[in-house]
Amino acid sequence: LTRGLEEAPPFTFLNLGLLAYVGGGEALNQVKLGDVPIFNYAGEIAFALWKTVYLSKQAATRNQALIAFDWFRTELFGRDITRL
């Protein structure tokens, strides 16, 4: 006990894996549950998973809709490279 404070419980971390966008519509992923590997993918399948997780992590439904619309617009018309 320090200055009347209780000892904090030890920190524990649950590794769920990693997702990495590498460009060109491709990504890498490694899905784990703790130290147990579930699956690994690379390429377009991993990119689809990356997009799904990215959208699901948005706090507001409005942001999810705006991001999805922006991705759709980019697929349809390409990137906007104009400068103001």
Side-chain angles (χ1 to χ4, degrees):
L1 293 177
T2 305
R3 290 188 271 170
L5 301 175
E6 294 182 27
E7 188 173 318
F11 176 78
T12 58
F13 176 73
L14 177 62
N15 183 7
L16 297 178
L18 60 91
L19 295 168
Y21 175 64
V22 294
E26 294 188 350
L28 305 168
N29 70 38
Q30 180 183 56
V31 178
K32 294 175 134 189
L33 188 56
D35 291 332
V36 180
I38 307 295
F39 59 83
N40 299 317
Y41 286 115
E44 293 177 359
I45 294 173
F47 186 52
L49 178 64
W50 182 88
K51 280 187 164 185
T52 303
V53 171
Y54 187 85
L55 280 179
S56 69
K57 292 293 185 180
Q58 299 304 311
T61 306
R62 178 178 182 267
N63 289 348
Q64 290 175 340
L66 288 171
I67 291 169
F69 177 73
D70 187 53
W71 287 344
F72 175 73
R73 185 185 57 188
T74 301
E75 283 295 318
L76 200 59
F77 300 111
R79 291 180 58 200
D80 181 17
I81 57 171
T82 61
R83 293 187 180 209
L84 298 177

